[in-house]
Amino acid sequence: DAGITQSPRHKVTETGTPVTLRCHQTENHRYMYWYRQDPGHGLRLIHYSYGVKDTDKGEVSDGYSVSRSKTEDFLLTLESATSSQTSVYFCATGTSGGAIETQYFGPGTRLLVL
Amino acid sequence: AQTVTQSQPEMSVQEAETVTLSCTYDTSESDYYLFWYKQPPSRQMILVIRQEAYKQQNATENRFSVNFQKAAKSFSLKISDSQLGDAAMYFCAYRSASPNNNDMRFGAGTRLTVKP
C-alpha cells in the first residue's frame, strides 16, 4: 500500500472559519487528488495536482483551494467553511495521471462544520 | 458530462454464494476505463478491478469478474464464493482515457452485506 496519511482525521469547526486539511505521501507519486464523499454521491473530485505548484480544478472546486509546495504534501483549504462542506475528505495519489494509473487512497478526514 | 449510476443501494449475499452488483454509465466517448472500488468499514478505498473499454475481454481478478457491455453502457461486478471480508461499500467509477482528463466519476455506491 502507498504510504498516504491525512491530518487531521476528524475535525469539528464553525461556519466561517478557515480549515486546512493535509495529505502526506511517502511514495513520490507525481499526481495527488482531493475528493469529498457524501451520501448518495459517491466520491467527487475537488482539485488535483500534477506536480509541485501545478494544480487544476475538479468537479466540485467552488469554495476550496489547494497548494502543493513539495511532492509529498498536498493541502486542501476551505477559506471560510460552510455547513455544505461537512463531508468526508479523501486524498489519493497516482503515478502517471490518466485513466491507466491506479489511485491509492488515504484513510479520509471527517469534517463537521457547525 | 459523464455519469455513473448504481441502482442498488444495498445488496446481501449468503457466504459462499455469488452476487452481482450493477452499474451503468453515460458517456459520448469511445475510449475510457471503468473501475470497481471497495470501501470497507475502515473507509480505505481499495481498487478491486479495472476494465479498459477498448478491450472486449472481461477483466477478472480471482473471485471478482466483470460483465462489460459497451453498447449497453453496463459494467456489473460479480463476486463468486462470497466471503465475510467482502462486506463493504462498492463503488463503480468511470474515467476518460483522454490524457488531459483527470476527473474520475463515481457512482453512489452499493452496500454489500455477507450473511454467514
Side-chain angles (χ1 to χ4, degrees):
Chain A
D1 291 344
I4 304 171
T5 56
Q6 293 183 230
S7 59
R9 293 293 312 279
H10 303 271
K11 185 170 182 65
V12 180
T13 191
E14 294 186 350
T15 298
T17 60
V19 176
T20 295
L21 308 183
R22 179 182 183 239
C23 177
H24 179 78
Q25 58 133 337
T26 59
E27 300 298 316
N28 201 34
H29 287 169
R30 179 182 172 190
Y31 287 76
M32 297 185 76
Y33 306 83
W34 276 108
Y35 292 91
R36 60 178 289 174
Q37 183 179 25
D38 304 291
H41 287 280
L43 274 73
R44 291 180 291 175
L45 182 65
I46 304 171
H47 282 279
Y48 69 95
S49 169
Y50 49 97
V52 173
K53 293 185 169 52
D54 293 322
T55 65
D56 205 350
K57 297 178 180 180
E59 181 186 3
V60 291
S61 60
D62 287 349
Y64 302 94
S65 63
V66 290
S67 65
R68 191 167 178 204
S69 59
K70 298 185 292 184
T71 297
E72 58 266 35
D73 289 328
F74 192 33
L75 304 181
L76 177 70
T77 297
L78 291 64
E79 300 290 347
S80 178
T82 67
S83 58
S84 65
Q85 293 176 312
T86 291
S87 187
V88 180
Y89 291 85
F90 286 93
C91 173
T93 69
T95 54
S96 62
I100 198 170
E101 73 172 2
T102 295
Q103 288 194 2
Y104 301 90
F105 286 81
T109 293
R110 189 177 293 276
L111 176 66
L112 174 61
V113 183
L114 300 174
Chain B
Q2 296 83 11
T3 58
V4 178
T5 303
Q6 294 179 248
S7 59
Q8 307 155 315
E10 296 184 355
M11 292 282 285
S12 67
V13 63
Q14 206 70 35
E15 193 176 6
E17 297 294 310
T18 295
V19 65
T20 299
L21 308 183
S22 301
C23 173
T24 59
Y25 57 94
D26 184 28
T27 184
S28 59
E29 299 179 317
S30 60
D31 198 10
Y32 49 86
Y33 288 70
L34 297 164
F35 307 82
W36 278 99
Y37 279 88
K38 171 184 178 182
Q39 186 179 43
S42 67
R43 292 209 311 247
Q44 198 90 15
M45 294 284 287
I46 303 164
L47 177 65
V48 174
I49 200 165
R50 168 172 44 208
Q51 175 79 40
E52 301 167 44
Y54 63 86
K55 288 189 176 180
Q56 294 189 354
Q57 185 172 4
N58 289 324
T60 299
E61 289 287 342
N62 300 314
R63 298 183 294 107
F64 298 87
S65 61
V66 298
N67 183 5
F68 174 48
Q69 301 290 329
K70 191 172 184 178
K73 296 180 182 175
S74 170
F75 183 61
S76 60
L77 175 70
K78 185 172 81 171
I79 306 174
S80 304
D81 185 24
S82 297
Q83 300 175 359
L84 296 178
D86 294 333
M89 283 288 288
Y90 285 82
F91 293 94
C92 178
Y94 169 103
R95 190 167 184 179
S96 169
S98 170
N100 296 323
N101 188 332
N102 283 293
D103 193 357
M104 186 148 60
R105 298 295 174 103
F106 287 81
T110 296
R111 182 175 301 281
L112 178 66
T113 302
V114 181
K115 299 177 180 178

